[in-house]
Amino acid sequence: MTQRLSNLGGLPDSVCQPGYEPTAHGVGIVHLGLGAFHKAHQAAYTDAALGLRGGDWRIAGVSLRSAEPAAQLNPQNGLFTLIERSAQGSRARIMASIAKALCLHTDRADVTAALAAPETRIVTLTVTEKGYGIDRATGSVDPTHAAIAHDLADPQNPVGVAGLLVQALGARRTAGVAPFTVLCCDNLPENGPAIRGLLLDFARRAAPHLLDHISAEVAFPATMVDRITPAATDDTRRAAAKMTGRHDAAAVETEAFSQWVIEDRFPTGRPGWESAGALMVDDVRAYEKMKLRMLNGTHSMLAYAGFVVGLETVADVMLDPDLSRLVRRHLDAAARSLSPLVGVDYDAYADALAERFANPHLRHKTYQIAMDGTEKLPQRIFAPAAEALFSGQDLSAFAFATAAWIRYMLCKTEAGSTYALQDPKQDAIAEAVRHATTAEALVSNIMALPGVFPEVLTTDMTWRSALTEKLHLMLVEEMHSAIRAEASSVTS
Ligand code: CS2
């Protein structure tokens, strides 16, 4: 039987190894949301920074619900293989930045202790857009979100991000320990201020004595994170075993490209992430908008349209000439919605994105990207659509993406297979589409979902008719014909 990856001895020369002795470095970061993206992104930057700049910056990784990450990582002393794939080839790197993995469910005392420890100076977060419980319309907590409701009722035993962090900041304050810096690494617009607003509102309701402390003392730098990372599968683990000669239950695969832009505000220090290629800046907002609208917005459009016509991966979509044309159209429309950013050429960024999407070695599922549309589309599609409307620009790309999303809500592919929607508002969506048989009715019902569309879009007739027209074609024709018609309307 193949030996399990649990130490660094005897690995093939082709496998990149950490440039440091892992046990010589203490833990300085607690990460909440121990999934593939964290392992491929922040853990990889931290691993490289530990090798280049050192410091006590290893990571205690916490999953809020699943016991799986800890069961996979701990028997391997936190080591895992990161397979980086580009069109040019693949390489395996062993990551040693995760010192231990915990599950809140089973290791509550250890999680609380890690968050309270003076050595913990940063808490990073990847719990997905829907994980926080932010009411996007107001920026305050959404009291109907399951974790928020639980934690407001029982703040001593929190299960969600807001409850856990407010409790930990309170414990640190009582013990006279400086607060940690909170670094949200999810694709939320202005993610630093968004988490700050969430914590302040949660504290206002559950721990008002901490309000001034959090407001004045805790730093919430914003950040733009980017690395396309499909969910790990048995194929990932098989590939890792082949490349390293070790069984690795925690292996992850990702693309070779990665980007991290971070607002440099860490009062209690940080790893030398810039040595690993992170860009430390004063203001992240323009980078974040570029990435959310160009990469993520186009991703959502191609995922909905592609999935409905039976295309399983992003690379498959890019091989379809009509859809790849619409990808380019969407990238260009999203770029037009942005203000110029010094040192960034949006055309070159669009070219690079199209190449990354086409990466034939990454099986990034359209279904994975399609989930949680109500949480993703406001910043990816509706915000640029509202701005395009305001400035009199063409709405076609955004209307097409939204129509494809509504078509996807019918839960039936063109070939007739059914699938689950997977969205926190799936019950409301099911209700909205149940008796709607026309494009007009679907558009009206979906745009009436509370807190999803910006008001300006719900009341504007230009937007409504562009959206209705595109959806109508998707309903009366086969989806691929609607895609073809849309692609042939693109003038390049
Ligand atoms: C994707 C992102 O699943 C999705 O919604 O658009 O996860 C995307 O792959 C990452 O943001 C890339 O950095």
Side-chain angles (χ1 to χ4, degrees), residues 55 124 217 342 362 492:
T124 51
E217 308 292 336
V342 177
L362 221 52
S492 50

Side-chain angles (χ1 to χ4, degrees), residues 41 224-228 257-259 291 295 349 356:
H41 191 273
M224 179 269 248
V225 290
D226 187 12
R227 195 165 214 189
I228 293 175
F257 178 91
S258 71
Q259 191 174 18
K291 193 254 171 175
L295 190 160
Y349 184 64
R356 289 169 62 196

Side-chain angles (χ1 to χ4, degrees), residues 37 41 129 187 225-230 255 291 295-297 299-300 356 364-365 368-371 376 380:
F37 180 68
H41 191 273
E129 296 91 332
N187 287 318
V225 290
D226 187 12
R227 195 165 214 189
I228 293 175
T229 307
E255 61 178 338
K291 193 254 171 175
L295 190 160
N296 297 113
H299 244 178
S300 290
R356 289 169 62 196
H364 194 200
K365 301 265 177 66
Q368 179 182 342
I369 301 167
M371 69 169 71
K376 294 174 175 175
R380 297 180 180 201

Side-chain angles (χ1 to χ4, degrees), residues 158-412:
V159 296
V161 169
L164 265 175
L165 294 186
V166 168
Q167 183 190 48
L169 288 165
R172 292 175 80 99
R173 187 172 187 221
T174 306
V177 173
F180 41 64
T181 298
V182 180
L183 186 63
C184 168
C185 300
D186 278 297
N187 287 318
L188 285 164
E190 302 195 24
N191 52 11
I195 303 313
R196 179 174 189 272
L198 175 80
L199 258 57
L200 288 176
D201 190 42
F202 187 89
R204 193 172 295 124
R205 294 163 191 245
H209 62 288
L210 291 175
L211 202 53
D212 290 345
H213 172 68
I214 297 176
S215 169
E217 308 292 336
V218 184
F220 295 87
T223 182
M224 179 269 248
V225 290
D226 187 12
R227 195 165 214 189
I228 293 175
T229 307
T233 64
D234 286 343
D235 284 343
T236 313
R237 293 177 272 276
R238 266 193 291 275
K242 205 159 157 209
M243 294 168 96
T244 64
R246 303 293 176 82
H247 170 68
D248 179 357
V252 172
E253 60 190 298
T254 187
E255 61 178 338
F257 178 91
S258 71
Q259 191 174 18
W260 198 4
V261 187
I262 311 171
E263 188 187 339
D264 201 0
R265 221 152 39 83
F266 293 82
T268 44
R270 59 166 175 79
W273 283 317
E274 69 278 24
S275 68
L279 188 60
M280 309 303 301
V281 299
D282 290 336
D283 189 347
V284 175
R285 283 174 296 185
Y287 293 94
E288 190 186 62
K289 250 189 190 173
M290 168 184 87
K291 193 254 171 175
L292 285 172
R293 295 180 178 191
M294 292 183 69
L295 190 160
N296 297 113
T298 309
H299 244 178
S300 290
M301 180 281 287
L302 71 84
Y304 295 122
F307 185 86
V308 171
V309 293
L311 297 170
E312 210 189 327
T313 69
V314 176
D316 293 341
V317 171
M318 296 304 286
L319 290 172
D320 179 290
D322 294 322
L323 277 169
S324 81
R325 201 154 186 205
L326 294 175
V327 162
R328 190 67 214 201
R329 191 255 313 246
H330 197 100
L331 289 168
D332 293 343
R336 269 196 302 280
S337 79
L338 303 168
S339 312
L341 175 56
V342 177
V344 177
D345 173 347
Y346 293 136
D347 282 340
Y349 184 64
D351 290 343
L353 288 175
E355 198 179 319
R356 289 169 62 196
F357 292 165
N359 184 344
H361 302 299
L362 221 52
R363 291 193 54 75
H364 194 200
K365 301 265 177 66
T366 45
Y367 188 64
Q368 179 182 342
I369 301 167
M371 69 169 71
D372 299 341
T374 56
E375 291 282 330
K376 294 174 175 175
L377 266 51
Q379 56 274 20
R380 297 180 180 201
I381 305 289
F382 308 147
E387 287 172 27
L389 182 68
F390 184 73
S391 54
Q393 280 167 18
D394 184 22
L395 296 174
S396 305
F398 306 117
F400 178 81
T402 309
W405 177 49
I406 299 178
R407 168 63 186 83
Y408 178 86
M409 289 173 188
L410 305 182
C411 291
K412 202 174 231 179

Side-chain angles (χ1 to χ4, degrees), residues 67-101:
E68 205 174 48
Q72 291 170 339
L73 281 161
N74 289 334
Q76 305 182 175
N77 297 317
L79 298 177
F80 68 94
T81 313
L82 183 64
I83 304 174
E84 297 176 331
R85 298 191 187 282
S86 71
Q88 285 71 45
S90 300
R91 68 167 186 167
R93 284 171 63 186
I94 306 298
M95 301 285 113
S97 50
I98 298 186
K100 61 180 168 198

Side-chain angles (χ1 to χ4, degrees), residues 34 90 117 277 292 340 388 444 470:
L34 188 48
S90 300
L292 285 172
S444 288
K470 295 196 190 299

